[in-house]
Amino acid sequence: MNSENNGFFFSKKKYFIESNGTVTKKSHSNIALIKYWGKHTKEIQIPLNSSISYSLEQVYTVTRLIYYMKKKKSKNFSLKIFLSGEKKNIFLQKIRNFFHRIAYYCSYLQDYNFIIETHNTFPHSCGIASSASSISALSLCIMEIEKKLGSFLTKEFFFKKASFLSRLGSGSACRSIYSGLVVWGYHKYIKGSSNLYSIRYPYQVHPIFTKMLDTILIVDEKPKKILSSKGHQLMNRHPYAKERFKYANQNMNRMISILKTGDLPEFGKLVEYESLTLHAMMMTSNPYYLCMKPNTLSVIHTLWDFRIESKKNIYFSLDAGANVHLLYPIQEKTSISKWINSDLLSYCKQIITSFCIY
Ligand code: PMV
């Protein structure tokens, strides 16, 4: 485990005073290959197993953070939030809580009022979780302010702290700070891995995994009924949780070896197994619940049939929702797009294809 602790991320007390300013940052969404599901109860946003994800090139958020000096210093945060130019008060509470949580590490935030203007490349409320890209973009903006206010930051510390802050807003968001294959959570075989922030995957990756595509099939565009925060909480008294955390870490061992050897069928089996395990955890929580919809299952069965017939390397992954991610190498793009258009379109409301950044 790395020697850093929370104290490593405190901001310096003395800053230049800047009366106002604007910073802009972009951050990508990610799809986990080994899933994070379950966190410690006593510490804030500390995962119970390590996870790894690909960042998605075409699925991102751009955030502009405007800050201006408060007339009177106070611990309250005055925020205004705009999504694609529209004022969105529904996000105020979540972002205000985030600011309060990180204020301890970014004392300068209390000197300012903020306007947050944010745009996603994907339609909002289409069922793609935007918290990973939006919280990480906001954290990068905050670090840019820290830099502008005169704190000397190495590039390494800048991103490390941005990931640390993101984690406090939404766990999986901390993996969005870096593009490529990113690991979050301590794993004994991954050098530099930490529960406090993410790192770039530090080992050799077979060329096949450097050119993967993710086609996201939106089968349900409604917001999730059970928030992931609730889902994580249910893992705390889940009868199979201990085994899950043990297996997730073992699955990470397998993933390390697969990424090196380039065994695509084994990669696919593992990614699908992780996805179904995640959903099995939800279905066996108390209270139990189900995120998949009939069309999720139709897509999975159609994919499995297609894979047997065509022998193509295409595999699915699921987040904590009903939508399906299809992962496949770029060489298969033409034939797979044809198949998606002919066999899967009727199950989907929308389709988004993105390059998995390596
Ligand atoms: O980051 P959260 O708290 O929204 O949790 C999301 C976890 C999954 O997306 C289901 C899996 C993952 O590792 O991204």
Side-chain angles (χ1 to χ4, degrees):
M1 177 92 70
N2 286 352
S3 56
E4 289 127 7
N5 55 26
N6 292 325
F8 181 71
F9 296 101
F10 287 145
S11 54
K12 277 193 322 183
K13 287 260 156 34
K14 288 249 177 276
Y15 282 93
F16 292 144
I17 302 296
E18 196 182 42
S19 56
N20 57 60
T22 301
V23 288
T24 304
K25 288 284 174 190
K26 170 179 170 180
S27 189
H28 298 266
S29 183
N30 69 71
I31 178 71
L33 307 173
I34 303 291
K35 310 285 181 186
Y36 147 63
W37 198 242
K39 51 189 168 190
H40 279 277
T41 44
K42 296 211 172 78
E43 290 166 278
I44 301 175
Q45 307 276 81
I46 295 296
L48 282 157
N49 65 263
S50 57
S51 56
I52 181 166
S53 58
Y54 268 126
S55 321
L56 302 174
E57 175 93 70
Q58 279 79 13
V59 188
Y60 63 85
T61 297
V62 176
T63 295
R64 197 155 91 106
L65 182 60
I66 301 159
Y67 54 101
Y68 51 100
M69 186 69 79
K70 279 179 182 166
K71 289 208 171 77
K72 228 167 111 194
K73 208 171 168 139
S74 78
K75 287 204 164 151
N76 293 330
F77 289 108
S78 153
L79 304 167
K80 288 192 183 105
I81 303 177
F82 296 85
L83 175 62
S84 305
E86 243 180 76
K87 198 165 180 198
K88 288 280 173 196
N89 290 338
I90 48 162
F91 300 128
L92 273 178
Q93 199 50 48
K94 186 172 176 189
I95 301 299
R96 198 169 278 132
N97 290 346
F98 173 56
F99 272 63
H100 278 293
R101 203 175 258 186
I102 64 170
Y104 191 55
Y105 303 101
C106 308
S107 54
Y108 49 88
L109 289 178
Q110 287 174 343
D111 295 335
Y112 296 98
N113 296 313
F114 296 95
I115 299 173
I116 300 167
E117 294 175 354
T118 191
H119 296 264
N120 296 327
T121 51
F122 47 97
H124 106 95
S125 47
C126 72
I128 300 185
S130 58
S131 63
S133 55
S134 57
I135 292 287
S136 50
L138 185 54
S139 302
L140 286 165
C141 285
I142 290 167
M143 286 311 294
E144 197 59 37
I145 296 179
E146 183 161 325
K147 197 163 101 186
K148 282 179 83 178
L149 294 183
S151 190
F152 173 75
L153 309 173
T154 61
K155 202 170 159 198
E156 188 193 350
F157 182 82
F158 180 97
F159 289 108
K160 208 179 251 190
K161 184 166 173 182
S163 181
F164 174 88
L165 298 178
S166 296
R167 190 200 94 232
L168 295 173
S170 156
S172 58
C174 81
R175 293 191 310 247
S176 279
I177 290 297
Y178 302 101
S179 40
L181 275 168
V182 180
V183 173
W184 171 42
Y186 173 70
H187 188 282
K188 65 177 173 181
Y189 295 134
I190 303 184
K191 199 164 173 261
S193 59
S194 168
N195 287 335
L196 299 182
Y197 50 79
S198 68
I199 58 162
R200 282 182 203 279
Y201 181 67
Y203 302 128
Q204 191 191 334
V205 172
H206 188 277
I208 193 82
F209 296 120
T210 63
K211 290 188 179 66
M212 296 287 287
L213 291 178
D214 179 358
T215 295
I216 310 170
L217 307 176
I218 311 294
V219 303
D220 183 30
E221 51 204 345
K222 292 192 207 85
K224 289 184 248 178
K225 286 206 180 90
I226 309 271
L227 296 174
S228 20
S229 49
K230 180 73 187 161
H232 286 291
Q233 212 180 49
L234 292 174
M235 285 301 280
N236 295 330
R237 45 191 170 84
H238 194 295
Y240 311 134
K242 240 173 131 181
E243 287 300 298
R244 161 62 193 155
F245 302 134
K246 197 172 98 192
Y247 272 97
N249 282 319
Q250 284 178 12
N251 289 343
M252 186 65 98
N253 294 343
R254 276 181 67 199
M255 186 54 87
I256 296 170
S257 133
I258 290 168
L259 289 174
K260 189 171 169 190
T261 58
D263 191 334
L264 207 46
E266 278 303 304
F267 170 85
K269 259 198 258 169
L270 185 54
V271 168
E272 293 191 350
Y273 181 75
E274 272 290 309
S275 302
L276 292 181
T277 306
L278 167 71
H279 283 254
M281 290 297 113
M282 298 171 194
M283 288 184 227
T284 47
S285 292
N286 187 6
Y288 52 85
Y289 64 108
L290 189 58
C291 287
M292 291 192 237
K293 296 280 173 177
N295 281 345
T296 314
L297 293 178
S298 298
V299 168
I300 292 175
H301 284 288
T302 310
L303 163 68
W304 282 344
D305 290 344
F306 172 71
R307 203 160 66 209
I308 292 170
E309 277 163 33
S310 69
K311 309 220 168 10
K312 296 260 176 236
N313 284 304
I314 173 163
Y315 306 94
F316 75 84
S317 180
L318 303 169
D319 265 336
N323 300 323
V324 186
H325 292 245
L326 298 178
L327 297 169
Y328 51 96
I330 204 158
Q331 300 90 286
E332 315 271 23
K333 187 172 189 245
T334 312
S335 58
I336 285 177
S337 306
K338 228 162 129 191
W339 165 69
I340 291 174
N341 285 329
S342 66
D343 290 25
L344 296 182
L345 229 45
S346 59
Y347 303 126
C348 315
K349 309 251 192 271
Q350 261 189 78
I351 290 185
I352 298 166
T353 293
S354 173
F355 187 62
C356 298
I357 310 172
Y358 166 63

